[in-house]
Amino acid sequence: MKTELIDDCMRLGFGMMRLPRIDGTGTIDLELSKKMVDAFMEAGGKYFDTAYIYEGSEEATKAVLCDRYPRESYYLADKLNASVSKDEQEAKHQIHVSLERTGAGYFDFYLLHGIDEGNHDKFERFGIWEYMKQLKQQGLIRHYGFSFHSSPERLEEVLTKHPDAEFVQLQINYTDWEDPVVCSRRCYEIAASHGIPVVVMEPVKGGKLADPPQQAVDIMRKAAPDASPASWALRYVASLPNVMMVLSGMSTFEQMVDNVKTMRYFQPLSNEECRVLEEVRQVLRQFNDIACTACHYCTPGCPMGIHIPETFAVMNVYKMYGNLGEVRNDYTWRPGGEKASACIQCGQCEEACPQHLPIIRLLEEVVDTLEK
């Protein structure tokens, strides 16, 4: 197995994709974000994660982190997304934009962003793998790897073709471990077989595992009354031996405090606790919720301005808790943007979705349930 790339900090990474927003404006709350960063650093955290396509995130990272702390006191990960570039030149220019936005000088970890079935060949055609080596030689990045949203077979192919990759970022959580689409377990095992460290994304599945149905909460509280549902999810992935870092996109101070409490003095799950989570997993399988993680990759290109993740969040409340009348009332205002019925079925959202959701069909379900 390759040498650990990080061994001097808490294994909780601060994901800068879901920073707190000021109500009613959508603007990132920089003052609250500064307080969260300060508390995170004080607790022993050093790893921060942003990306070229995270709206406002790189600029906010500059304001709350890079302008306020010595460069050697933290690790910063950023990403190059070939899918949003029309040609090789535009794709390769992304790092220079990201460096300017963050003011970081260099990136400790730089990723080919979101390799999947629709874009993996684009990274090859644009020569991005070779470009990563050049960036490392130039001192603009320290380590390079990739984040991944595709099949285990594709992961095996990528790692075999590019053994120089130093780490891989995978979606892993206890509900996706045996999921036939996400295939967390199989992907993790392939990474481990190649001796490559894993950075975990979506450990609480976009917040779903931090606020599961009451039946699942009751099971966890019976086993550990003082432990939050999110702490169970974080400990599950951090207990895997090949995990280098666990990312959490924290959007409130309370989330940050709870996550730090879990990871600062981390204890792996016991066999009995693993049994408890298996019971929770069985409960969650009863709910046919929409597996949206609220990454918002789908929304910038929506020509109708539908807030798709927020729409699905309202729909999931109905799927989990019922009470159609109350949910229909929430749907009139809570998601914002246009209603699901405004969808023109252009398909750009489905191309952008890392979860490979049939968004058009799901929006039709929202219309049939909440608008008729």
Side-chain angles (χ1 to χ4, degrees):
M1 184 171 296
K2 294 181 179 179
T3 303
E4 285 289 342
L5 303 179
I6 297 178
D7 61 3
D8 64 345
C9 66
M10 177 171 56
R11 284 196 295 158
L12 176 66
F14 198 142
M16 308 294 273
M17 183 173 72
R18 298 185 176 99
L19 289 171
R21 305 269 173 169
I22 298 173
D23 290 343
T25 67
T27 303
I28 293 174
D29 189 333
L30 295 179
E31 293 308 309
L32 177 54
S33 297
K34 288 176 183 178
K35 292 178 182 178
M36 293 170 66
V37 166
D38 291 347
F40 180 76
M41 294 280 281
E42 184 178 350
K46 294 177 63 173
Y47 190 100
F48 296 83
D49 175 273
T50 184
Y52 176 82
I53 67 167
Y54 296 168
E55 185 178 359
S57 175
E58 290 179 325
E59 294 87 346
T61 299
K62 182 179 191 299
V64 304
L65 176 68
C66 301
D67 285 350
R68 302 175 61 240
Y69 283 91
R71 183 61 185 89
E72 65 278 6
S73 66
Y74 60 86
Y75 299 110
L76 183 59
D78 211 305
K79 308 178 188 75
L80 186 159
N81 192 307
S83 298
V84 300
S85 300
K86 65 178 183 294
D87 55 33
E88 177 180 336
Q89 181 179 1
E90 187 173 275
K92 291 182 175 179
H93 185 61
Q94 283 184 27
I95 186 171
H96 302 290
V97 175
S98 295
L99 286 169
E100 181 178 358
R101 288 175 179 171
T102 61
Y106 62 92
F107 295 123
D108 301 277
F109 297 87
Y110 200 55
L111 294 82
L112 286 72
H113 193 180
I115 291 180
D116 61 23
E117 290 305 300
N119 67 16
H120 68 94
D121 61 327
K122 205 170 185 180
F123 288 103
E124 302 287 348
R125 288 188 287 108
F126 287 176
I128 302 303
W129 286 100
E130 188 61 33
Y131 186 55
M132 290 285 184
K133 297 177 184 177
Q134 296 172 17
L135 293 175
K136 188 171 181 178
Q137 291 172 353
Q138 295 168 11
L140 295 180
I141 64 176
R142 299 291 171 84
H143 304 285
Y144 62 89
F146 61 99
S147 58
F148 186 78
H149 291 285
S150 191
S151 67
E153 292 77 17
R154 181 67 67 190
L155 180 60
E156 178 68 45
E157 177 186 314
V158 173
L159 288 175
T160 300
K161 189 172 184 178
H162 300 286
D164 50 300
E166 298 173 87
F167 65 99
V168 61
Q169 189 162 301
L170 299 174
Q171 178 172 321
I172 304 177
N173 54 69
Y174 65 79
T175 60
D176 287 333
W177 188 243
E178 298 291 356
D179 183 270
V181 176
V182 182
C183 302
S184 287
R185 177 183 59 79
R186 291 178 62 199
C187 287
Y188 168 80
E189 290 174 349
I190 287 170
S193 72
H194 282 262
I196 185 169
V198 171
V199 175
V200 171
M201 57 183 163
E202 304 295 354
V204 292
K205 204 171 175 65
K208 291 180 183 299
L209 302 183
D211 186 26
Q214 189 60 45
Q215 188 177 350
V217 173
D218 291 343
I219 294 170
M220 288 183 275
R221 284 184 176 166
K222 182 179 179 180
D226 297 329
S228 68
S231 71
W232 282 88
L234 290 180
R235 290 179 62 214
Y236 178 84
V237 295
S239 296
L240 297 169
N242 201 43
V243 168
M244 178 180 79
M245 190 62 57
V246 178
L247 295 179
S248 179
M250 296 171 277
S251 55
T252 70
F253 193 84
E254 291 73 21
Q255 289 174 359
M256 190 276 304
V257 170
D258 184 55
N259 289 350
V260 165
K261 178 182 176 183
T262 301
M263 296 298 292
R264 189 175 189 179
Y265 304 109
F266 169 71
Q267 291 292 324
L269 290 177
S270 67
N271 290 337
E272 175 60 23
E273 288 172 321
C274 289
R275 187 200 63 76
V276 170
L277 275 188
E278 180 56 35
E279 188 177 351
V280 170
R281 187 186 288 117
Q282 294 301 326
V283 168
L284 295 180
R285 285 175 181 161
Q286 302 172 19
F287 297 90
N288 187 29
D289 65 326
I290 300 171
C292 173
T293 63
C295 67
H296 286 88
Y297 290 5
C298 60
T299 52
C302 178
M304 304 310 294
I306 302 170
H307 294 180
I308 297 169
E310 289 76 12
T311 297
F312 288 165
V314 173
M315 186 65 178
N316 277 339
V317 172
Y318 169 67
K319 286 176 173 286
M320 288 191 175
Y321 304 107
N323 200 340
L324 182 59
E326 182 178 334
V327 173
R328 280 181 169 170
N329 181 63
D330 286 349
Y331 179 66
T332 63
W333 63 274
R334 190 178 297 277
E338 293 294 322
K339 295 291 183 285
S341 54
C343 175
I344 60 173
Q345 302 188 2
C346 66
Q348 75 81 30
C349 54
E350 295 189 354
E351 293 180 5
C353 178
Q355 307 303 320
H356 311 294
L357 297 177
I359 294 176
I360 294 172
R361 179 179 63 77
L362 292 170
L363 288 174
E364 290 175 343
E365 182 183 349
V366 171
V367 173
D368 292 343
T369 305
L370 303 183
E371 293 191 34
K372 293 184 178 180

